[in-house]
Structure formats: structure tokens, C-alpha cells
Amino acid sequence: AVQMALDEKTLYLARYMGPGKPYQLFFYDIASRQCHSPSWSAALLLKAVRAMGMSPDGTELFIGEKASYVGDLDELHRLRVINIITGNANTLSSTSTAGAANGLLFKNLVHIAMSPAGELFVLGNANPWATSTSAKWEVSVIESTTLHVKGSTFTANTASDSGGAVGIAKLTLMTEVAIEGSTLSGNT
């Protein structure tokens, strides 16, 4: 999967690293033709990345990856949101219950796009890839969901459109924010 940065200077790539290994993110600088993998990339443990999308402010990558390698779940995909600066990652979910099995899942995900207004569009094929000779395309529009933040630190942030690591603009998709195992201090 490949995604162009908003400034059109960097390509974000997800690469298969071999049998039994997770996919890894790479950043390719178009001008210098240099490619590197951020130090935090391997820790993401990405599974079979199928598509990528970019947030309107260019700070988050939306990664569509397999939810599982087991049985029929092989065709189900989940969405992860990864901050390209810090590597902090969260899974988009329809619940705030940690470990719950009802996350947002999509069949045969092939494309992710986000509108400037913050709606997330996900394109998938409702028919099984292995047995189908035709495509039955489905577009899912995510206007609201839950953000589950786990194991993160938020210090001295200002929740506003113009500042802070967790700004109001970044929470427009969320109807609920659940924070677990995280530290919050000095925030306004």
C-alpha cells in the first residue's frame, strides 16, 4: 500500500517483510530518493496492509489491515490511525470496551480516503475475493466512532483547533473518547 503526503514530498509505504513477520512502514523522500523506516514502525505489528489514507492535516495515516489470519476473518479488515511523527497508534472501534470484539471491520478493504470535513470513506468488496468473479463494491462512510487511547501520555496540551496533540479538530469523528492506562497532566 502507498500513500502520498499532502505536501507531495514523501511517499508512505507499507512493505511485507517476509513469512511470519509483520508489515513495516517506510517513508520515501521523493527529492533525495532516500527511504527509511521510523524506529517505531516495527513495534506496530501491522498485518497485511491493504490500503492507506491521510488525515486532512497530514499528521495521521489511516491503515487498512487484516483483522486476523484465521478462517473467514481473512477477508475482514480493521482501520488503525497512526501518528506519523510519534508512531502512536490506535484502532478505530465501535466500542470503548478494551479488547471487545466489535471493532469497525470492513470486507476486502481496497481504499481509504478522508474528506476535508473529516468524514472517512472506506471502499471494500462485499463478495469474497477467492470465490467471486465479480465485484460488489461497498462504500462505508464513518462520521462518528469511538477513539480508544491506550498507553499514551498527554502533557501540557491545549484542546483547540490550532494547538495541542489532541485538538478538537482531531476529535470531530468521535462520539466517545475512552482513555486507558494513560497519563494526563497540565492540559487545558
Side-chain angles (χ1 to χ4, degrees):
V2 177
Q3 176 65 45
M4 173 86 65
L6 297 180
D7 64 7
E8 299 181 355
K9 295 179 181 178
T10 305
L11 288 176
Y12 303 106
L13 314 156
R15 182 172 178 246
Y16 174 63
M17 300 304 289
K21 296 179 182 177
Y23 277 56
Q24 211 165 322
L25 286 179
F26 288 86
F27 294 6
Y28 178 80
D29 181 273
I30 295 170
S32 69
R33 297 183 179 183
Q34 297 294 312
C35 190
H36 78 281
S37 182
S39 59
W40 45 259
S41 178
L44 294 174
L45 301 175
L46 295 170
K47 295 181 187 134
V49 175
R50 294 294 181 242
M52 290 187 198
M54 179 68 60
S55 66
D57 65 3
T59 61
E60 277 95 22
L61 270 177
F62 290 85
I63 304 282
E65 66 172 343
K66 284 191 177 195
S68 173
Y69 289 114
V70 180
D72 290 338
L73 293 178
D74 189 50
E75 294 180 344
L76 294 178
H77 298 89
R78 65 183 182 173
L79 291 179
R80 291 179 63 191
V81 183
I82 300 167
N83 182 292
I84 60 170
I85 299 164
T86 65
N88 290 339
N90 288 289
T91 302
L92 287 183
S93 173
S94 60
T95 179
S96 61
T97 305
N102 60 348
L104 294 174
L105 296 176
F106 305 91
K107 279 197 101 171
N108 302 310
L109 188 145
V110 294
H111 188 73
I112 304 167
M114 183 171 259
S115 74
E119 292 111 353
L120 189 63
F121 296 88
V122 179
L123 176 65
N125 183 356
N127 292 333
W129 286 117
T131 59
S132 177
T133 57
S134 64
K136 179 181 175 189
W137 298 108
E138 290 184 342
V139 175
S140 300
V141 180
I142 304 168
E143 294 182 39
S144 64
T145 188
T146 297
L147 176 63
H148 180 203
V149 179
K150 182 177 179 181
S152 299
T153 301
F154 300 93
T155 305
N157 290 292
T158 301
S160 70
D161 280 338
S162 62
V166 182
I168 291 170
K170 293 182 187 171
L171 297 178
T172 55
L173 284 176
M174 310 308 154
T175 56
E176 179 181 0
V177 177
I179 299 175
E180 171 189 350
S182 299
T183 303
L184 293 107
S185 62
N187 298 289
T188 57

